[in-house]
Amino acid sequence: HHVNSGIHYFVCGSAAQVKAPNSSTGTGFWAAQLGLIRADVSPSELKVEFIDESAQVIHATRISIT
């Protein structure tokens, strides 16, 4: 999860190959492990969860929709 100029970026590689992450300014979360992203959207917010291969939420964030 990376934020740059007020824009939130979410990246989830689906090639099933774990690579070392590159953290930079604005990076709030990264993990070098297999998993997926689940997103729930409501009229007031976007909820994003990063889920590992054991089905555990390893990071979650909420973004208000204005």
Side-chain angles (χ1 to χ4, degrees):
H1 177 202
H2 181 82
V3 181
N4 185 358
S5 299
I7 299 172
H8 293 257
Y9 295 88
F10 300 96
V11 178
C12 181
S14 60
Q17 181 179 14
V18 177
K19 297 181 180 179
N22 293 323
S23 181
S24 62
T25 301
T27 301
F29 171 78
W30 55 261
Q33 62 189 83
L34 300 176
L36 54 88
I37 293 175
R38 175 175 51 208
D40 294 313
V41 181
S42 74
S44 61
E45 72 178 4
L46 168 65
K47 177 183 175 185
V48 180
E49 297 176 321
F50 291 79
I51 303 168
D52 69 12
E53 60 187 312
S54 300
Q56 299 299 309
V57 174
I58 57 175
H59 176 72
T61 190
R62 294 175 186 261
I63 301 167
S64 294
I65 299 172
T66 55

